[in-house]
Amino acid sequence: MLYFRRFETSYKLILNCAENLPYPDFYQAWHNPPTTPHPEITDQTPHNSETTFAPINLAQALQNQPILILNAQLLATETRESEIALTLSELIWDTTCPEEDLPEPATPAQLRRHLKPLQRRQLLPHRALLLTDCEHPTPELITFCAKLTGVIAVAFLTDDLLEAPLKGFPPNQPNLISAIETWLEEM
């Protein structure tokens, strides 16, 4: 019984930290706990003015949520509608149903038309797409994705301000996972 109480208390403490600390601080605390060096050993670590953090694994953190997370780096500078359609199609099909023939849409309307049967057949049970590794999406990509929102919600991991119906999440946002989960619940 004592073991269970300790576990429950520890779990609540860690959960509170995870929910209330900005992700980089939580990551640093979890993976690099403070250590006290032995008095005879001097600190020989180079001091860097910038702290770097390992990227959050969104796919793992949100694996039980109805969201499809796609690395959209290929789309970061794309301006041609047909290329955006083909690349998004490829990313979606490679993730959800790689054995199926890849459609070749050229417009948002054509891609929407191909997404609906995937949803009906439960091959795309997701309500939303989160496009990562595309921190400053082109206006053409933003316009294209806004036209998909009648079928699937679209969000970007970006510091850029996006207008509804799109959603933007800053990559370094405190409580990033909680913010995405809240967005999904509000849909």
Side-chain angles (χ1 to χ4, degrees):
M1 191 66 161
L2 178 62
Y3 175 76
F4 180 73
R5 283 192 198 128
R6 283 186 190 159
F7 170 79
E8 185 178 29
T9 303
S10 300
Y11 178 82
K12 287 179 181 178
L13 176 66
I14 292 169
L15 181 63
N16 184 35
C17 291
E19 289 178 340
N20 294 303
L21 280 176
Y23 178 76
D25 293 344
F26 178 77
Y27 184 92
Q28 183 72 18
W30 185 261
H31 292 283
N32 300 306
T35 57
T36 306
H38 195 277
E40 285 86 16
I41 299 175
T42 59
D43 183 15
Q44 298 176 2
T45 314
H47 293 283
N48 186 352
S49 61
E50 278 188 44
T51 304
T52 59
F53 300 97
I56 186 170
N57 185 340
L58 288 172
Q60 184 178 6
L62 296 168
Q63 66 185 349
N64 295 323
Q65 296 293 328
I67 189 166
L68 181 59
I69 300 166
L70 300 174
N71 179 331
Q73 186 174 16
L74 294 170
L75 295 167
T77 59
E78 190 57 63
T79 59
R80 295 169 295 174
E81 185 175 80
S82 61
E83 289 300 314
I84 293 169
L86 286 171
T87 303
L88 267 178
S89 174
E90 180 181 357
L91 293 171
I92 293 168
W93 264 255
D94 283 352
T95 304
T96 58
C97 48
E99 294 81 29
E100 291 204 8
D101 290 335
L102 184 66
E104 296 185 13
T107 66
Q110 290 174 353
L111 182 54
R112 279 194 318 268
R113 200 169 334 149
H114 289 291
L115 289 174
K116 287 179 182 181
L118 282 186
Q119 290 173 327
R120 281 194 299 268
R121 294 176 23 225
Q122 295 298 306
L123 295 174
L124 182 64
H126 309 90
R127 293 185 309 209
L129 293 177
L130 176 61
L131 302 178
T132 67
D133 299 294
C134 183
E135 290 186 32
H136 303 287
T138 62
E140 294 83 1
L141 178 58
I142 291 170
T143 300
F144 186 98
C145 289
K147 292 177 182 178
L148 295 179
T149 59
V151 175
I152 194 162
V154 181
F156 286 84
L157 205 56
T158 180
D159 286 319
D160 293 354
L161 295 175
L162 300 176
E163 292 183 22
L166 299 177
K167 181 73 174 168
F169 295 99
N172 295 319
Q173 175 177 343
N175 307 320
L176 177 61
I177 301 300
S178 297
I180 294 171
E181 290 172 336
T182 300
W183 173 61
L184 291 169
E185 290 170 7
E186 291 172 351
M187 281 198 260

